[in-house]
Amino acid sequence: MVNLQQDFPEHVDILCTNATLATMETDGEPYGLMSDGAVAIRGDTIAWVGRMADLPRDFKERSARIIDAGGHLITPGLIDCHTHLVYAGSRAREFEMRLHGATYEQIARQGGGILSTVSATRGADEQALFEQSAPRLLSLIKEGVTTVEIKSGYGLDLDTEVKMLTTAKKLGSEYGVTVVPTYLGAHALPPEYANRHDDYIEYICDKVLPYVARHGLAVFVDAFCEKIAFSPQQVERVFKAARRHGLRIKLHAEQLSDQGGAQLAARYGALSADHLEYISEEGAKALAQGGTVAVLLPGAAYFLREEKTPPVELLRKYRVPMAVSTDCNPGSSPSVSLLLMMNMACILFGLTPEESLRGVTINAASALGLQERIGTLEAGKDADLVLWDVSDPAELSYNIGLNPCRLVLRRGKVSEASGLQ
Ligand code: NIG
Ligand code: FE
């Protein structure tokens, strides 16, 4: 960490003083905690992080704006590394069906589930899709989210997938949040390919994926490896195409059963494997070897009343980094609260509050390949940070339904969308 007095710049745009910093750096204290800390921002970058005692004497003259944190907590901007937040329609009817006894799988097999959102999303024009998705993004921002991954996968045909990815990008620029777009063509089999899984995979690999890559519409490719979706062999074809076209890889793996998806993802250098309730010990070892992040999605486990939880002990044993995310989607996790997910990760999955915060900062950054830019409070990184009305970082996981977010800075600018100035 750069905290030498001589490194404090001649001029900074914003200086946050008197803060308890959860830097989330790994060496040293839990949470990388530093009391009586200060963060200096120049342009869109963190210029200096250190102790109040190490500020130069004339720090006030050198700072255009000073924000006194009053001893409260500053964390890196939160990162929601797995969402499907761009979609049209609602699945509240299916929610009712499930409460009358139908299962998620039964509904999916009867042509409901993901496919009902596909038909709503195909039917919505770009403006409607934007307007329906924006409130979800705003809810995340209000809780301190500065980076969000958004998947396609409710269009399945070229035009609608492109519409989803374009909408995701537009949401990012409209609301001043970093959006990482992912192409999730292999999410479900579209009705026009009924019983023709392999033909649909060919369509993805030969048509949509190359188009998405050529037009810079996505950074990642994701797939749903599951009995009700695509087999490991089919997913592997998608991964090969992703490699050919320079897109990075993620995978929905072992959500409802163990398909060996984690091993497959790791073999292809996936940045993350997500869900993982049914992952085996072999799978956990493979993630460790592949440097693949395990993204845990407690909202989906909760909403589907999944009794099996991801084997957190095994993931710890093999030192697999764990991230936590909302999985915001209409079918299995209609959640727009990353703070609630942190609480659920602790209560339902047994993470510690520190693991939980790591899961929405540095480990989520790694799941997106952005660990050099975001995820910790460190000089040289993007000035994405959140000032909270609490002083103890465990409060972020502890509370249920309280939002202590006071101020969000994204790339050095106060986020107006946070609603808090
Ligand atoms: O992450 N598992 C597959 N995809 C989503 C669910 C999507 C849906 O039901 O609409 C998930 O849980
Ligand atoms: Fe998902």
Side-chain angles (χ1 to χ4, degrees):
M1 177 179 295
V2 182
N3 62 356
L4 301 173
Q5 189 163 330
Q6 61 266 36
D7 289 323
F8 192 92
E10 271 314 307
H11 167 85
V12 301
D13 295 304
I14 300 178
L15 179 67
C16 302
T17 57
N18 298 313
T20 304
L21 304 179
T23 68
M24 304 316 287
E25 287 208 278
T26 31
D27 41 353
E29 296 293 305
Y31 300 98
L33 208 64
M34 186 193 290
S35 52
D36 296 316
V39 183
I41 293 160
R42 216 182 130 100
D44 57 8
T45 305
I46 297 177
W48 187 92
V49 179
R51 295 192 185 281
M52 290 297 291
D54 294 327
L55 282 171
R57 242 184 270 157
D58 60 347
F59 73 85
K60 284 189 183 148
E61 291 76 57
R62 294 205 215 171
S63 310
R65 178 177 178 188
I66 293 185
I67 297 173
D68 187 339
H72 286 155
L73 181 69
I74 292 181
T75 67
L78 304 191
I79 301 163
D80 195 353
C81 68
H82 177 142
T83 86
H84 310 246
L85 74 76
V86 169
Y87 63 83
S90 157
R91 303 247 288 278
R93 263 306 79 72
E94 286 177 16
F95 175 58
E96 289 193 309
M97 284 165 67
R98 284 206 295 114
L99 288 163
H100 283 107
T103 67
Y104 182 75
E105 284 192 63
Q106 280 166 351
I107 294 169
R109 287 190 192 283
Q110 286 163 16
I114 294 174
L115 288 187
S116 70
T117 304
V118 168
S119 90
T121 305
R122 285 180 177 181
D125 64 22
E126 214 173 297
Q127 185 60 21
L129 194 55
F130 182 94
E131 281 169 13
Q132 290 189 41
S133 305
R136 297 188 273 271
L137 182 62
L138 280 165
S139 298
L140 294 174
I141 296 172
K142 286 193 164 105
E143 285 190 355
V145 169
T146 50
T147 301
V148 58
E149 185 257 14
I150 302 179
K151 302 175 197 296
S152 67
Y154 290 122
L156 308 178
D157 61 32
L158 176 67
D159 287 352
T160 319
E161 290 291 293
V162 168
K163 179 173 73 182
M164 290 185 73
L165 293 167
T166 312
T167 303
K169 212 173 237 182
K170 228 165 105 187
L171 283 164
S173 40
E174 185 74 17
Y175 294 107
V177 66
T178 305
V179 166
V180 179
T182 295
Y183 169 53
L184 174 58
H187 193 200
L189 192 64
E192 61 275 21
Y193 280 90
N195 301 316
R196 294 193 293 134
H197 284 78
D198 288 316
D199 291 347
Y200 179 58
I201 293 292
E202 193 174 309
Y203 169 67
I204 289 179
C205 296
D206 295 351
K207 188 126 194 237
V208 190
L209 192 151
Y211 183 95
V212 164
R214 205 167 49 245
H215 292 84
L217 295 172
V219 177
F220 286 98
V221 164
D222 193 348
F224 188 17
C225 186
E226 194 53 69
K227 279 185 251 172
I228 56 167
F230 297 95
S231 69
Q233 292 71 26
Q234 289 159 343
V235 169
E236 186 164 7
R237 288 174 63 193
V238 178
F239 285 177
K240 284 189 171 145
R243 259 193 188 165
R244 277 199 301 279
H245 294 278
L247 292 168
R248 309 187 84 174
I249 289 168
K250 292 180 160 288
L251 186 65
H252 282 70
E254 344 297 15
Q255 179 183 9
L256 308 168
S257 61
D258 181 11
Q259 300 284 309
Q263 292 89 318
L264 175 64
R267 206 145 40 79
Y268 276 83
L271 267 72
S272 74
D274 305 39
H275 286 287
L276 304 176
E277 277 77 357
Y278 288 83
I279 193 176
S280 63
E281 182 151 6
E282 288 313 306
K285 270 193 219 167
L287 294 187
Q289 278 158 13
T292 304
V293 176
V295 177
L296 307 184
L297 304 164
Y302 161 79
F303 196 71
L304 298 181
R305 288 210 180 119
E306 174 60 63
E307 278 165 15
K308 203 163 156 51
T309 56
V312 164
E313 271 311 327
L314 270 183
L315 297 170
R316 284 188 188 123
K317 175 173 159 192
Y318 292 107
R319 298 182 179 282
V320 179
M322 293 180 281
V324 173
S325 174
T326 59
D327 194 15
C328 171
N329 77 70
S332 70
S333 186
S335 162
V336 288
S337 171
L338 194 53
L339 291 177
L340 178 58
M341 297 306 112
M342 291 171 70
N343 175 270
M344 284 187 178
C346 295
I347 299 300
L348 300 179
F349 291 173
L351 264 61
T352 65
E354 190 197 359
E355 285 173 327
S356 211
L357 187 54
R358 208 162 278 292
V360 297
T361 54
I362 186 59
N363 289 351
S366 300
L368 299 177
L370 294 175
Q371 66 279 8
E372 304 300 328
R373 293 243 50 85
I374 53 175
T376 59
L377 299 177
E378 256 179 285
K381 283 199 172 179
D382 289 358
D384 289 2
L385 44 96
V386 187
L387 170 61
W388 306 91
D389 270 331
V390 296
S391 304
D392 177 351
E395 295 268 0
L396 300 181
S397 295
Y398 161 76
N399 288 287
I400 303 173
L402 180 80
N403 179 12
C405 174
R406 190 199 294 175
L407 185 83
V408 181
L409 290 173
R410 188 258 184 177
R411 295 195 182 154
K413 294 222 165 20
V414 175
S415 164
E416 283 166 33
S418 76
L420 306 149
Q421 307 291 313

